[in-house]
Amino acid sequence: PHIIECAKAEAGEDQGACHLPSKKRFSALGQKGATLWMTGCSGAGKTTIATALEKRLVKEYGKH
């Protein structure tokens, strides 16, 4: 549910055609990207934590 695929790309093709270059994206959003890598056993709550974090970042801080 959190993955957006490019409509312009065929199955298995590069999604790059649908993405802004990093500098333009950062400038437009006024923010830089980050990666949070979570590991754990199945059912440990990784998705629950990620969903709660996403909601908080978007609703409280206006981050995407």
Side-chain angles (χ1 to χ4, degrees), residues 8-29:
K8 294 180 183 177
E10 297 294 325
E13 287 186 341
D14 182 17
Q15 301 287 308
C18 294
H19 300 289
L20 288 172
S22 296
K23 286 184 182 182
K24 284 186 180 180
R25 182 176 185 82
F26 296 159
S27 175
L29 295 175

Side-chain angles (χ1 to χ4, degrees), residues 9-62:
E10 297 294 325
E13 287 186 341
D14 182 17
Q15 301 287 308
C18 294
H19 300 289
L20 288 172
S22 296
K23 286 184 182 182
K24 284 186 180 180
R25 182 176 185 82
F26 296 159
S27 175
L29 295 175
Q31 62 192 32
K32 288 189 176 184
T35 300
L36 175 64
W37 190 284
M38 296 191 301
T39 62
C41 296
S42 178
K46 297 178 299 292
T47 300
T48 302
I49 292 169
T51 302
L53 176 61
E54 178 184 35
K55 284 180 183 177
R56 186 162 185 185
L57 288 172
V58 171
K59 288 182 180 178
E60 294 184 24
Y61 300 100

